[in-house]
Amino acid sequence: KFSFNYTFFLKLKMQKITTDINLAINSLKIGKLVAIPTETVYGLAGDALNEKAVKKIFILKKRPLHNPLILHISSYEKLREITKNVPFKAKKLAKKFWPGPLTLVLEKKNKVSNTVSAGKSTIAVRVPNHPLTLKLLNSIDFPLAAPSANPSGFISPTTAKHVSSFFKDGLDVILNGGLCSKGLESTIIGFENDNPILYRHGAIPISDLENCVGTIGKKIKDNLNPSSPGMFSRHYSPRTPIILINNLSKYIYQNKDKKIGVLSFENKEGFSLATKHEILSKNGDIDEAAKNFYSALHSLDSKNLDIIITTLLPEKGLGKTINDRLKRAVAN
């Protein structure tokens, strides 16, 4: 009897995927890392005010130290605790789009370490729109540093199982919040001379933000000194080689000897010779395509294919964000 109970206890202790918020809270309070669900992608979270916990994030992700992290807070009111000199247009955006997939890059207070900000005087911060993570954030007295819960440069996770497949060790708790409702990372806006600048396309189309604050500038790539996460030229990549081409059917026919995976926006063509075909939206819906994008890439990447082929989507709305991710995924 004792042996059975002990074995059962060990299994419980090894279990990573859970909905028990108290396990996550207790782990975070002692400086451990926890994967958290958001409406965008799953994040690899640690106490943003605990230097050791922050360094663990960089180590576990194998993330370059000059690539800053995103801080997650529970409400707009918490912004004053970690930032200063917030521009008027930043306040306007935050009040309209938080909680939600908008990250703002703002001047930080000294209590936030330079490790989080990659040595910069600014930090990226947002309020996520996921009930489980908002409950978590309201139960702790520190912000969470939480980049995407994947090894640096690879496909972002939109389910707890994606996270588990990436990290077999070093992560005690994966808080299971189901499939991410948006499926793309947050849009990131910084401010230069109080003027808004797009640093990363994301789950809120830039047109929606411009309807709120007017014209927004653009600076979305910087490998050497990125102002925010998501600015590296190569990012969001599957392990399987991936290429962008115009005529998918022709490529498949000319490469019959290869195990080919197809990622298509909608089901306009037949790809019977392909080994695996993932359709982002059978009805051609951009929002549905965005939600399914990373899950489809994960599925293709797990099939031991020789290559994944795809095309760009219509350059409108969230199509711009998906195209941005595709271009970075195929970059050398």
Side-chain angles (χ1 to χ4, degrees):
K1 184 177 180 181
F2 176 79
S3 177
F4 172 78
N5 287 340
Y6 183 68
T7 301
F8 181 67
F9 169 77
L10 285 178
K11 287 182 179 179
L12 283 176
K13 189 174 181 182
M14 291 170 63
Q15 179 64 47
K16 289 183 177 181
I17 300 176
T18 179
T19 57
D20 188 344
I21 195 171
N22 289 318
L23 286 178
I25 292 170
N26 292 335
S27 291
L28 290 165
K29 284 183 175 179
I30 60 173
K32 292 187 176 182
L33 304 184
V34 170
I36 59 171
T38 77
E39 78 281 24
T40 58
V41 301
Y42 275 71
L44 183 62
D47 180 353
L49 304 182
N50 181 328
E51 187 74 3
K52 289 183 178 179
V54 171
K55 288 180 177 177
K56 286 179 184 177
I57 294 173
F58 281 95
I59 292 169
L60 187 58
K61 276 182 64 72
K62 297 181 180 178
R63 185 183 181 92
L65 289 173
H66 70 290
N67 193 9
L69 305 178
I70 293 180
L71 266 61
H72 292 65
I73 56 177
S74 60
S75 67
Y76 171 80
E77 288 69 32
K78 292 285 185 180
L79 191 61
R80 66 172 66 96
E81 296 180 11
I82 56 175
T83 64
K84 57 185 179 181
N85 304 323
V86 179
F88 170 75
K89 288 186 177 181
K91 294 177 181 178
K92 194 172 180 181
L93 286 168
K95 288 177 180 178
K96 181 172 177 60
F97 293 100
W98 283 358
L102 173 67
T103 294
L104 299 175
V105 178
L106 304 166
E107 191 175 349
K108 76 179 184 71
K109 287 188 174 178
N110 291 334
K111 67 188 293 184
V112 180
S113 80
N114 287 332
T115 305
V116 171
S117 66
K120 297 172 180 60
S121 61
T122 56
I123 52 166
V125 60
R126 83 178 186 102
V127 180
N129 191 14
H130 192 288
L132 200 57
T133 293
L134 282 174
K135 183 178 179 182
L136 171 65
L137 286 164
N138 279 302
S139 302
I140 54 180
D141 59 0
F142 48 84
L144 293 177
S148 55
N150 59 325
S152 184
F154 288 95
I155 311 171
S156 296
T158 53
T159 69
K161 287 186 177 180
H162 292 161
V163 180
S164 180
S165 69
F166 280 135
F167 301 113
K168 304 300 182 185
D169 300 298
L171 191 56
D172 284 0
V173 177
I174 299 172
L175 200 56
N176 189 0
L179 177 67
C180 297
S181 61
K182 296 295 183 183
L184 292 172
E185 294 85 355
S186 60
T187 305
I188 302 182
I189 300 293
F191 295 86
E192 299 179 9
N193 298 319
D194 288 349
N195 296 314
I197 305 290
L198 175 70
Y199 288 153
R200 179 176 74 183
H201 286 288
I204 301 178
I206 189 67
S207 57
D208 290 4
L209 301 178
E210 290 187 323
N211 287 338
C212 179
V213 295
T215 302
I216 295 175
K218 181 179 176 182
K219 187 172 75 175
I220 60 173
K221 290 187 181 180
D222 192 334
N223 292 317
L224 298 178
N225 189 31
S227 302
S228 81
M231 297 184 76
F232 286 177
S233 296
R234 182 171 175 81
H235 210 353
Y236 316 109
S237 301
R239 291 183 170 87
T240 308
I242 179 171
I243 58 172
L244 287 167
I245 55 176
N246 292 323
N247 193 323
L248 301 177
S249 296
K250 182 179 179 181
Y251 182 92
I252 296 169
Y253 183 77
Q254 292 176 341
N255 295 274
K256 297 176 184 177
D257 58 323
K258 291 184 178 180
K259 291 184 291 183
I260 298 173
V262 177
L263 179 69
S264 69
F265 172 39
E266 50 190 331
N267 195 22
K268 283 188 174 179
E269 300 181 71
F271 303 112
S272 58
L273 295 178
T275 304
K276 178 70 175 176
H277 180 201
E278 288 286 345
I279 305 167
L280 295 179
S281 174
K282 291 182 179 179
N283 299 316
D285 183 275
I286 290 284
D287 290 346
E288 183 184 20
K291 181 177 180 178
N292 294 333
F293 177 64
Y294 284 132
S295 289
L297 270 182
H298 276 285
S299 177
L300 291 170
D301 203 26
S302 69
K303 301 302 181 184
N304 194 31
L305 301 167
D306 293 321
I307 197 165
I308 298 169
I309 61 173
T310 188
T311 59
L312 294 177
L313 275 66
E315 187 73 8
K316 61 181 181 180
L318 292 181
K320 290 183 179 180
T321 302
I322 298 172
N323 289 343
D324 172 81
R325 300 302 187 267
L326 287 173
K327 290 173 184 176
R328 293 176 197 267
V330 304
N332 294 321

